[in-house]
Amino acid sequence: MAGAGMAIAVLTSGGDAQGMNAAVRAVTRMGIYVGAKVFLIYEGYEGLVEGGDNIKQANWLSVSNIIQLGGTVIGSARCKAFTTRAGRLQAARNLVEHGITNLCVIGGDGSLTGADIFRSEWGGLLEELVRDGQISEEVARENCRLNIVGLVGSIDNDFCGTDMTIGTDSALHRIMEVIDAITTTAQSHQRTFVLEVMGRHCGYLALVSGLASGADWLFIPESPPEDGWEDLMCERLGETRSRGSRLNIIIIAEGAIDRNGKPISSNYVKDLVVQRLGFDTRVTVLGHVQRGGTPSAFDRVLSSKMGMEAVMALLEATPDTPACVVSLSGNQSVRLPLMECVQVTKDVQKAMDEKRFDEAIQLRGRSFENNWNIYKLLAHQKPAQEKSPFSLAILNVGAPAAGMNAAVRSAVRIGICQGHTVYVVSDGFEGLSKGQIREVGWHDVAGWLGRGGSMLGTKRTLPKTCMEKIVENVRKFSIQGLLVIGGFEAYEGVLQLVEARGQYEELCIVMCVIPATISNNVPGTDFSLGSDTAVNAAMESCDRIKQSASGTKRRVFIVETMGGYCGYLSTVTGIAVGADAAYVYEDPFTIHDLKANVEHLTDKMKTDIQRGLVLRNEKCHEHYTTEFLYNLYSSEGKGIFDCRINVLGHLQQGGAPTPFDRNYGTKLGVKAVLWMSEKLQEAYSKGRTFANSAESACVIGLRKKVVAFSPVTELKKVTDFEHRLPQEQWWLNLRLMLKMLANYQISLTEYISGTMEHVTRRTLSIEKGF
């Protein structure tokens, strides 16, 4: 109970963002977990100034069943009074009355800056309260220091220093749903659509949705179009139509400007297209739809992680620590000095006001710059400088995963840009052995971005069953590069090809694997393509199951997820839906653990929350099957709760890819082909390619923050082939979070706190992955 005697208050301020509730829940539960008193402040800073019923102590159940709700259940308001000293004086008095000296603020940079001003004035405010006789000197001494920690809730992702802010991913989900819906109607009528998305000062939403939808033209405030853009845009839209496309999509951020700082409106763009091209054109302004709806899995997990870290930061604060903001760096939580982040965020705006646009893009961080460069590469076909002597073949292997088509599309297009001959292969290695190989052009992959599954078709066949025929076709089509997009079979298959190089000289070619599987079990990467979509699909199903259980009362659902031996899916889904337990193979459990869980649920049924949700990964235990768990829970819970089973099955392969998977697939396709081109150049001499080093066959993946290429032969040493798993998996750290937030008693010593880092122009320019 490291926090005994502490009082923590949490408030949400400024514009709402999906995921704020998950953060409020995590701060409240983690605070109670460490023994502190936790207060919820309703209506943001307004409630802080008004006090009274707006400040209420919370218990464990106060924040139950809110993780799946959008917006913020404790309310948010813009507050004039708090911007004045008199208002802050009133706020200080209200906090001191409850003995609160730790404040967690969830909001945008304005809200966080306000909190920092409040903190710096705290001593003076207390002195004034003592002078006015409103509090005693003793009370002032006891509450002499205010600690502040911020979480950034903003759908614009406009805060420098964190990779993602709370709500951004969910806003992208809303935008992509709208774009997918509009695409179908636009194709029916051969229309042009101008979509206006939020982002007054920051083009992140417009940029990522443009990249994830393959929009024809994009306007963002950080990079205004060159003078005379009107002619160029109309020419390009006309060209797309003449090549057989039935629609055009133009995405515009609400803060879009031209080189002279003059706003570009969506209606101006529409009128331009109608006058010059005569296309049937419509404008759609997305507005507050983007703030609405249920948070995505990413936002729920991010907010829960940040909320827990915020409590730890308050626990560990000393008089010398600056007010900090908890942020995301790769898949790790870090703490950053609040005012450093605010300063860099202001620098971006200043650079834009002074028309230093290139600098503004750099200050937004490396991944923003990457997005922008890749969008420009793929949006429009630029003829290759010269024809290259190389041919690449692209295939999908294993089970279908969302995002595979996005990766194929960007790989094909970037290959054509480089002047290579690009082939696609149907049905994986089996198709390669049967010669199901065809050359593709730029427009053959148009419209592939938002398609789920695999357009090329995919099979689980491994090369060793048809090696001779594969070699024959590699020779026949003179393939020098092989890009394999798929799951564990893709990695294993490329390993078999590499190991057969000694027998067949034809296999001394450049090979690359893009990990794509909902199980997220390929070594060499933290995230596989398709796992984000799968987690969201599983989460949506579990939300509905929870609703059913809440309605019926005293019911426990046991839900089985896919994933083979890998427990990633069930662990992350478990955090996103607030499950009571998630059984996985990597975290061994015994009958004692099962008994403890049943007792835990029995206790829960005595409270107001009379429902339970337990997830089980399909291969988590040889004998404790889903059926066994159902029987155990049913007999032990007799008279207290009843039990139901739900097997999610192929639902998890999940429909349309999420924005993350479209974006991630697009970038992996580009990076993989650029790397292959480089390796082909190195291995080319006297008119032929010969690549047989370990470095010429790699898995591309995201590790912490960096895109890394790992040779398959190196990865073999760290792979458990029997269970098809990497020997070390980063997400196992998340299991602690799942258990703590479900109220299991675990020692705090296992919790790994984030470190304090700094934000400078240099740190922003470091390659940040995606």
Side-chain angles (χ1 to χ4, degrees):
M1 306 294 269
M6 271 176 81
I8 296 172
V10 56
L11 65 90
T12 52
S13 168
D16 64 319
Q18 307 96 318
M20 280 182 166
N21 288 327
V24 169
R25 170 180 177 269
V27 171
T28 305
R29 292 198 162 174
M30 188 68 173
I32 293 170
Y33 201 90
V34 299
K37 282 185 186 169
V38 180
F39 292 86
L40 301 176
I41 298 175
Y42 290 80
E43 310 307 336
Y45 283 127
E46 202 168 284
L48 187 58
V49 174
E50 286 176 12
D53 281 350
N54 290 314
I55 302 177
K56 289 185 189 151
Q57 190 171 346
N59 60 25
W60 194 267
L61 303 182
S62 310
V63 290
S64 179
N65 216 12
I66 65 171
I67 194 169
Q68 73 278 19
L69 304 176
T72 159
V73 293
I74 57 175
S76 176
R78 311 263 178 206
C79 178
K80 277 274 181 355
F82 193 75
T83 57
T84 66
R85 185 169 168 99
R88 293 194 288 274
L89 189 67
Q90 195 53 43
R93 182 168 171 211
N94 291 332
L95 285 183
V96 170
E97 260 175 28
H98 293 86
I100 300 167
T101 53
N102 295 283
L103 193 57
C104 174
V105 179
I106 307 167
D109 56 350
S111 309
L112 299 183
T113 309
D116 194 62
I117 293 168
F118 189 39
R119 174 178 176 268
S120 61
E121 289 180 354
W122 184 256
L125 294 171
L126 293 196
E127 280 172 25
E128 200 170 320
L129 289 171
V130 172
R131 269 207 311 278
D132 296 349
Q134 294 196 35
I135 60 170
S136 69
E137 288 197 6
E138 188 185 346
V139 170
R141 261 200 311 281
E142 281 168 14
N143 299 290
C144 62
R145 190 176 103 232
L146 179 68
N147 295 320
I148 277 185
V149 62
L151 301 182
V152 191
S154 154
I155 64 166
D156 292 340
N157 201 22
D158 55 357
F159 194 76
C160 292
T162 181
D163 294 2
M164 280 298 247
T165 56
I166 294 169
T168 307
D169 188 62
S170 304
L172 286 169
H173 273 254
R174 293 301 92 77
I175 295 171
M176 293 320 299
E177 282 160 18
V178 171
I179 292 178
D180 287 351
I182 275 179
T183 306
T184 53
T185 166
Q187 270 176 326
S188 312
H189 295 277
Q190 298 203 30
R191 281 197 176 129
T192 296
F193 268 91
V194 181
L195 264 108
E196 184 180 306
V197 301
M198 281 184 164
R200 205 164 312 141
H201 305 298
C202 178
Y204 186 86
L205 290 178
L207 175 54
V208 175
S209 45
L211 192 57
S213 64
D216 296 284
W217 196 272
L218 182 59
F219 294 95
I220 58 172
E222 289 84 350
S223 181
E226 298 295 338
D227 293 337
W229 59 269
E230 291 92 343
D231 302 337
L232 192 60
M233 181 182 83
C234 292
E235 184 188 318
R236 181 141 338 147
L237 296 179
E239 210 173 290
T240 326
R241 285 290 175 94
S242 64
R243 289 213 177 108
S245 168
R246 292 179 60 87
L247 81 161
N248 301 110
I249 289 201
I250 299 166
I251 293 179
I252 179 165
E254 60 181 344
I257 48 175
D258 64 16
R259 285 273 152 187
N260 307 311
K262 194 169 134 258
I264 297 175
S265 73
S266 38
N267 283 321
Y268 175 70
V269 175
K270 174 200 156 178
D271 296 342
L272 199 69
V273 177
V274 173
Q275 283 159 13
R276 299 210 185 173
L277 297 166
F279 292 165
D280 184 1
T281 307
R282 298 280 189 277
V283 171
T284 302
V285 178
L286 266 61
H288 283 74
V289 164
Q290 296 159 79
R291 288 194 189 280
T294 178
S296 65
F298 180 88
D299 271 328
R300 297 185 195 187
V301 176
L302 171 75
S303 307
S304 303
K305 200 190 244 174
M306 284 181 165
M308 289 179 74
E309 186 58 44
V311 172
M312 295 307 286
L314 288 170
L315 270 188
E316 293 163 12
T318 67
D320 306 328
T321 39
C324 75
V325 54
V326 175
S327 78
L328 177 76
S329 174
N331 51 32
Q332 314 291 319
S333 305
V334 295
R335 302 171 191 175
L336 304 168
L338 171 61
M339 292 324 285
E340 283 184 17
C341 298
V342 170
Q343 188 51 54
V344 181
T345 307
K346 286 181 175 158
D347 288 349
V348 180
Q349 194 50 52
K350 190 164 176 248
M352 281 157 62
D353 293 343
E354 293 172 5
K355 303 191 174 49
R356 301 195 309 272
F357 296 113
D358 291 348
E359 194 179 332
I361 284 192
Q362 283 166 356
L363 285 171
R364 279 265 180 249
R366 194 57 190 274
S367 76
F368 189 94
E369 199 176 346
N370 269 343
N371 281 332
W372 183 230
N373 292 335
I374 289 177
Y375 172 76
K376 288 189 290 190
L377 266 177
L378 298 176
H380 179 65
Q381 184 171 3
K382 301 163 193 62
Q385 300 297 312
E386 55 190 68
K387 189 91 187 90
S388 93
F390 306 121
S391 306
L392 306 180
I394 301 171
L395 60 157
N396 292 164
V397 174
M404 278 181 162
N405 300 322
V408 173
R409 169 187 174 269
S410 68
V412 165
R413 290 194 164 181
I414 203 79
I416 291 169
C417 280
Q418 302 265 310
H420 307 321
T421 303
V422 182
Y423 296 109
V424 291
V425 182
S426 303
D427 301 338
F429 290 120
E430 193 176 304
L432 188 59
S433 70
K434 291 179 179 168
Q436 297 171 344
I437 301 168
R438 64 178 197 277
E439 191 179 337
V440 282
W442 184 276
H443 293 281
D444 295 330
V445 289
W448 281 29
L449 256 171
R451 299 283 189 91
S454 159
M455 304 278 286
L456 292 180
T458 163
K459 286 256 169 65
R460 291 180 184 272
T461 317
L462 285 169
K464 64 177 180 210
T465 57
C466 49
M467 194 66 86
E468 296 280 338
K469 287 183 168 165
I470 286 180
V471 171
E472 193 183 309
N473 281 317
V474 168
R475 184 171 58 240
K476 182 175 158 191
F477 286 88
S478 83
I479 293 167
Q480 291 101 344
L482 201 57
L483 177 62
V484 186
I485 303 166
F488 201 85
E489 290 92 353
Y491 155 68
E492 215 174 338
V494 167
L495 192 59
Q496 288 177 8
L497 294 176
V498 170
E499 286 171 348
R501 276 174 171 175
Q503 269 171 287
Y504 306 101
E505 203 182 297
E506 289 85 347
L507 295 177
C508 293
I509 57 175
V510 175
M511 297 183 241
C512 184
V513 178
I514 294 182
T517 164
I518 68 169
S519 309
N520 200 24
N521 62 336
V522 179
T525 184
D526 291 349
F527 294 103
S528 296
L529 206 48
S531 57
D532 186 63
T533 305
V535 168
N536 276 287
M539 174 192 86
E540 282 165 21
S541 305
C542 288
D543 280 348
R544 288 174 191 160
I545 289 168
K546 243 171 80 174
Q547 207 171 21
S548 154
S550 299
T552 325
K553 297 279 185 287
R554 299 182 179 279
R555 177 161 287 174
V556 173
F557 271 93
I558 294 169
V559 178
E560 182 186 302
T561 66
M562 283 170 124
Y565 284 100
C566 178
Y568 177 81
L569 248 179
S570 54
T571 298
V572 179
T573 305
I575 294 167
V577 297
D580 294 287
Y583 300 120
V584 301
Y585 165 77
E586 294 92 339
D587 191 357
F589 56 98
T590 63
I591 192 74
H592 299 298
D593 299 315
L594 296 178
K595 192 167 169 293
N597 286 352
V598 172
E599 284 164 8
H600 180 80
L601 283 167
T602 310
D603 288 342
K604 196 175 169 185
M605 295 300 158
K606 293 173 189 159
T607 67
D608 296 349
I609 310 171
Q610 300 179 341
R611 57 167 169 76
L613 180 68
V614 175
L615 295 175
R616 178 189 174 276
N617 180 42
E618 56 184 354
K619 290 188 176 170
C620 65
H621 200 286
E622 189 181 355
H623 303 298
Y624 299 151
T625 59
T626 305
E627 197 64 31
F628 175 90
L629 289 184
Y630 168 71
N631 292 331
L632 175 80
Y633 273 77
S634 294
S635 65
E636 290 292 319
K638 218 180 186 84
I640 302 163
F641 58 81
D642 65 347
C643 211
R644 293 284 186 279
I645 287 182
N646 206 301
V647 178
L648 295 180
H650 285 76
L651 269 180
Q652 297 154 86
Q653 285 184 352
T658 56
F660 177 85
D661 278 331
R662 296 180 197 207
N663 205 349
Y664 189 38
T666 300
K667 289 178 168 172
L668 287 181
V670 169
K671 299 246 175 193
V673 172
L674 292 176
W675 174 85
M676 289 172 78
S677 302
E678 201 179 298
K679 291 285 170 214
L680 284 166
Q681 291 292 345
E682 287 169 20
Y684 186 70
S685 81
K686 299 189 179 146
R688 56 182 292 236
T689 306
F690 184 80
N692 70 345
S693 69
E695 278 71 41
S696 62
C698 285
V699 171
I700 178 178
L702 191 59
R703 285 182 151 179
K704 286 206 171 109
K705 294 171 122 177
V706 191
V707 179
F709 289 89
S710 322
V712 287
T713 46
E714 295 291 311
L715 291 174
K716 186 180 179 181
K717 301 169 194 159
V718 293
T719 305
D720 168 358
F721 282 95
E722 185 197 342
H723 298 105
R724 303 161 55 97
L725 287 174
Q727 283 167 9
E728 281 187 8
Q729 304 186 83
W730 69 272
W731 56 264
L732 283 167
N733 297 336
L734 298 176
R735 305 256 331 142
L736 189 65
M737 177 157 106
L738 175 82
K739 291 173 184 170
M740 283 180 165
L741 293 178
N743 210 5
Y744 287 85
Q745 295 312 311
I746 296 162
S747 152
L748 261 186
T749 49
E750 291 180 45
Y751 185 89
I752 302 159
S753 287
T755 50
M756 181 67 100
E757 294 186 2
H758 291 282
V759 190
T760 59
R761 293 191 168 205
R762 197 187 66 74
T763 59
L764 287 173
S765 66
I766 295 169
E767 177 73 74
K768 277 274 178 38
F770 304 143

